[in-house]
Amino acid sequence: MKINLKTEEYRDPWLAEGVNEAIGFFPREFYCLDNYSAFKIEYNGWVYSTVEEAYQASAFKDVAEDVAEQIRHAKSPYDAKQISLANKDRKRPDWDAEKIKVMEELLREKVRQHPYVWEMLIKTKGYLIVEDSPKDSYWGWGLHRDGENNMGKLWMKIREQVLNGEL
């Protein structure tokens, strides 16, 4: 069976070279920094399966609680994001101005609530942290690696706070 995929969608160039022979799926060493990783988080009185679900639900806080509830009961972070996208016209009016702040709070909570995430964040040392998504140039670095990388910037900010004893 021949697989026809756009190789630029692959994060790892060496996998892209052998795209017809192999599809990689093993998590990387720092997978715990991903919002979809299975680290439960307690936030605003609710327990979420992932940071992604908490983030998506926060976009509807106090304005569309029915949507927030659907997201809280989503079967996966992917489903949570799809519910959010389907209801984007019902998000908090201040969401664009507040989403970075909310994500930072969520990542801080993830570090506080999970010693493993704390430990792995420290192991990133002084390296640049990048959400290497080829599809997201806001949170990640995008297809051409020239995106904003806001997720990486938040992780590096939190790493500094951890190393300085501020968290």
Side-chain angles (χ1 to χ4, degrees), residues 11-165:
R11 294 176 294 192
D12 296 317
W14 65 270
L15 270 181
E17 292 172 12
V19 73
N20 290 322
E21 293 85 34
I23 300 294
F25 65 91
F26 191 79
R28 294 177 176 186
E29 183 178 8
F30 295 99
Y31 77 98
C32 63
L33 302 181
D34 190 302
N35 286 350
Y36 280 52
S37 63
F39 288 85
K40 288 185 179 183
I41 183 168
E42 186 176 336
Y43 184 68
N44 286 336
W46 294 94
V47 175
Y48 297 90
S49 296
T50 65
V51 164
E52 184 67 22
E53 291 169 6
Y55 172 77
Q56 296 298 341
S58 295
F60 301 94
K61 187 178 185 319
D62 300 327
V63 295
E65 287 296 328
D66 60 317
V67 178
E69 186 70 14
Q70 286 177 23
I71 291 170
R72 281 193 283 272
H73 296 321
K75 294 185 183 288
S76 70
Y78 173 83
D79 287 348
K81 186 171 183 176
Q82 296 309 306
I83 293 166
S84 178
L85 289 172
N87 292 281
K88 63 184 174 190
D89 58 324
R90 298 182 64 200
K91 287 183 178 180
R92 296 169 30 183
D94 66 344
W95 185 241
D96 283 339
E98 294 294 313
K99 63 186 177 183
I100 292 270
K101 178 182 163 198
V102 169
M103 183 61 76
E104 186 174 343
E105 289 173 6
L106 288 166
L107 298 181
R108 258 195 209 98
E109 286 304 315
K110 186 174 184 178
V111 168
R112 282 185 186 121
Q113 294 174 30
H114 295 283
Y116 177 74
V117 177
W118 177 293
E119 177 185 328
M120 293 306 287
L121 183 59
I122 290 171
K123 285 183 179 182
T124 64
K125 300 179 182 176
Y127 289 102
L128 174 69
I129 300 175
V130 175
E131 178 174 317
D132 58 346
S133 169
K135 297 178 182 181
D136 187 341
S137 60
Y138 179 78
W139 290 112
W141 68 0
L143 179 61
H144 302 290
R145 298 180 177 175
D146 59 358
E148 294 180 47
N149 188 35
N150 285 306
M151 187 66 67
K153 290 174 184 173
L154 288 175
W155 277 120
M156 290 183 287
K157 179 180 180 180
I158 293 167
R159 175 181 63 199
E160 281 304 307
Q161 292 170 343
V162 167
L163 292 173
N164 292 331

